[in-house]
Amino acid sequence: MTGGFLTLAVAGAAVPASATENNAAPAESTLEMPTVSATLASTAAQTADATQQAASDYELQAQKDQAAAHAKAAAKKAKAEADRKAKEAREAARKAAAKRAAEAKAQAAKASRSAERTTLSTTTVSNASGNAATLISFLKAQLGKAYVLGSSGPSSYDCSGLTQAAFKQVGVSLPRVSQDQSTAGTPVSLDSLQPGDLLYWGSAGSAYHVGVYVGGGKFIGAQNPSTGIVERPLDYDMPTGAVRVL
């Protein structure tokens, strides 16, 4: 081998007779083939290393892309969850505010009713005099008697029968039924009641029940067959309106 080539001697398979006869030497031919040099081997190794590095880079980039996609999906999910919780928090706050407003309104209404009862209770039976005192004395004497629909005494009454009999004691003639009694006097507001005022439940002119305010925030009336004639605070069954007959 010389100069990077390999020399091969090739002998002929058969020698013509004439050549033998002439005592000629056998023919030879030379083939020179390239060989792998150290430089070529180094280049091939570098190429393989570069290819492997490129493959590693591609794999690393793919992993980074996958991680980025996962992070993006996780961020989107977290945002959706945060939005949901924020919406729930706003709704809870709205409901809580509405509840507080309703409670405040209820407390204000309760305070108003309490103030009204306080105002009414300042007028006591002791303030009643003359016809009012006589009227109330008669009503108290009827407490405990039975309620009988259509009855006007003396052992039992219905609501309008009792009020008619009571006012008759002081010379005032009232119509027989509650609808007519509710318009028999001068209308007065419930926050300025006086003992002896006639109370009614329902609309004026179509009232379904009547009683008499006796002072101290109380009234007397023939309530129903179960209770008979009783004395009750106004807030037991707040009347709709009142008229002053005396």
Side-chain angles (χ1 to χ4, degrees):
M1 178 176 66
T2 59
F5 289 91
L6 179 63
T7 303
L8 298 177
V10 180
V15 181
S18 59
T20 303
E21 292 174 354
N22 297 324
N23 296 316
E28 292 185 359
S29 63
T30 299
L31 297 178
E32 294 186 357
M33 298 179 63
T35 60
V36 178
S37 66
T39 301
L40 183 60
S42 177
T43 301
Q46 291 175 359
T47 301
D49 290 342
T51 301
Q52 184 176 1
Q53 182 62 45
S56 296
D57 292 343
Y58 287 137
E59 182 178 0
L60 179 61
Q61 185 61 45
Q63 291 175 352
K64 290 181 178 180
D65 292 343
Q66 186 178 20
H70 288 167
K72 184 177 181 181
K76 183 177 181 181
K77 182 178 180 181
K79 184 178 183 302
E81 181 67 11
D83 290 344
R84 181 186 67 80
K85 290 182 177 180
K87 183 178 180 181
E88 289 178 352
R90 289 193 298 270
E91 182 64 15
R94 184 191 66 78
K95 289 182 178 180
K99 183 179 179 181
R100 288 194 297 270
E103 290 174 349
K105 184 177 180 180
Q107 290 177 353
K110 184 177 180 181
S112 177
R113 290 193 297 270
S114 178
E116 183 177 349
R117 288 195 298 271
T118 300
T119 300
L120 291 173
S121 65
T122 59
T123 305
T124 63
V125 177
S126 61
N127 297 131
S129 61
N131 288 343
T134 301
L135 175 69
I136 293 170
S137 178
F138 173 83
L139 288 168
K140 286 185 175 291
Q142 312 312 308
L143 291 174
K145 290 185 178 181
Y147 175 101
V148 176
L149 183 63
S151 179
S152 56
S155 59
S156 62
Y157 300 86
D158 64 10
C159 66
S160 57
L162 176 64
T163 53
Q164 184 186 51
F167 279 94
K168 186 176 181 180
Q169 304 302 310
V170 294
V172 176
S173 179
L174 288 181
R176 175 63 182 84
V177 296
S178 59
Q179 291 90 339
D180 296 333
Q181 288 184 9
S182 64
T183 59
T186 302
V188 293
S189 63
L190 295 178
D191 60 358
S192 59
L193 292 174
Q194 294 180 4
D197 286 344
L198 180 69
L199 307 174
Y200 63 86
W201 286 256
S203 301
S206 59
Y208 59 84
H209 185 64
V210 288
V212 177
Y213 180 63
V214 297
K218 298 180 179 181
F219 70 92
I220 291 177
Q223 289 300 101
N224 53 60
S226 298
T227 62
I229 298 174
V230 293
E231 183 176 16
R232 293 283 189 269
L234 288 173
D235 58 4
Y236 168 80
D237 185 11
M238 187 64 68
T240 304
V243 292
R244 186 158 295 157
V245 181
L246 297 179

